[in-house]
Amino acid sequence: MTGAVPSYLSPTGQEVVFLLLGAVTVGSALLVVTTRQLVHAALWLVLCFGALAGCYLVLTAEFVAWVQVLIYVGAVVALLLFGIMLTRAPIGRSADLDSGNRVVAAIVALATAAVLVTVVIDGFRTAYADLTPGRGAASEVGSSLFRNWVLPFEALSVLLLAALIGAIVLSRTDIRGR
């Protein structure tokens, strides 16, 4: 944070791409929560996660970007789509899912957004971070993960294994309780 801070009136190419990807992320996130079709919401979620991965690439965190693509876009959205298909959730519009509180929800959402934008702008008005490569590189993330966070990482893997075994037991119909 040394040196002259660039002007906001002359953005660099990286900043323009970041702002465009941020706008795509916010727009698709709004479409995720406002669409009435579950499959369309899942597809908008894919676009939202993809644009977020693009933001990570612009911030030179390529490892985090690929993890975003592989885990969230690949696994979570595929799991969501399979869950929709396997549970036979209603695909089209459903009148019983509308609570009628759209106006109140819109007012609360706009007020919350206004407060968050005000706090972020006020808190980071003078902050500037130069985009230098290496902060999200795989070597740094890997060494931090396996030096400082190895115990929580292994505990999470045991928890996920237990959840997988529990899901298999619950989904099996040929296993009977005694």
Side-chain angles (χ1 to χ4, degrees), residues 103-177:
V103 175
V104 174
I107 291 171
V108 169
L110 288 174
T112 304
V115 168
L116 288 174
V117 166
T118 304
V119 167
V120 168
I121 288 174
D122 189 45
F124 294 101
R125 184 179 312 263
T126 59
Y128 177 78
D130 192 24
L131 298 177
T132 56
R135 298 195 111 153
S139 61
E140 283 190 27
V141 173
S143 66
S144 173
L145 180 68
F146 291 113
R147 245 186 230 139
N148 304 329
W149 300 98
V150 70
L151 186 62
F153 183 77
E154 291 300 323
L156 180 65
S157 66
V158 170
L159 178 70
L160 289 174
L161 179 65
L164 180 65
I165 293 170
I168 290 170
V169 168
L170 288 176
S171 66
R172 296 278 310 259
T173 58
D174 58 342
I175 299 176
R176 294 186 182 163

Side-chain angles (χ1 to χ4, degrees), residues 19-72:
L19 288 174
L20 290 175
L21 286 170
V24 169
T25 303
V26 170
S28 59
L30 285 173
L31 288 169
V32 167
V33 296
T34 58
T35 187
R36 293 179 180 235
Q37 308 254 344
L38 287 174
V39 176
H40 291 174
L43 294 175
W44 285 118
L45 190 63
V46 168
L47 180 65
C48 180
F49 286 156
L52 190 60
C55 287
Y56 290 141
L57 282 176
V58 171
L59 293 173
T60 67
E62 62 276 349
F63 177 73
V64 180
W66 285 115
V67 168
Q68 173 80 20
V69 169
L70 291 175
I71 301 299
Y72 286 105

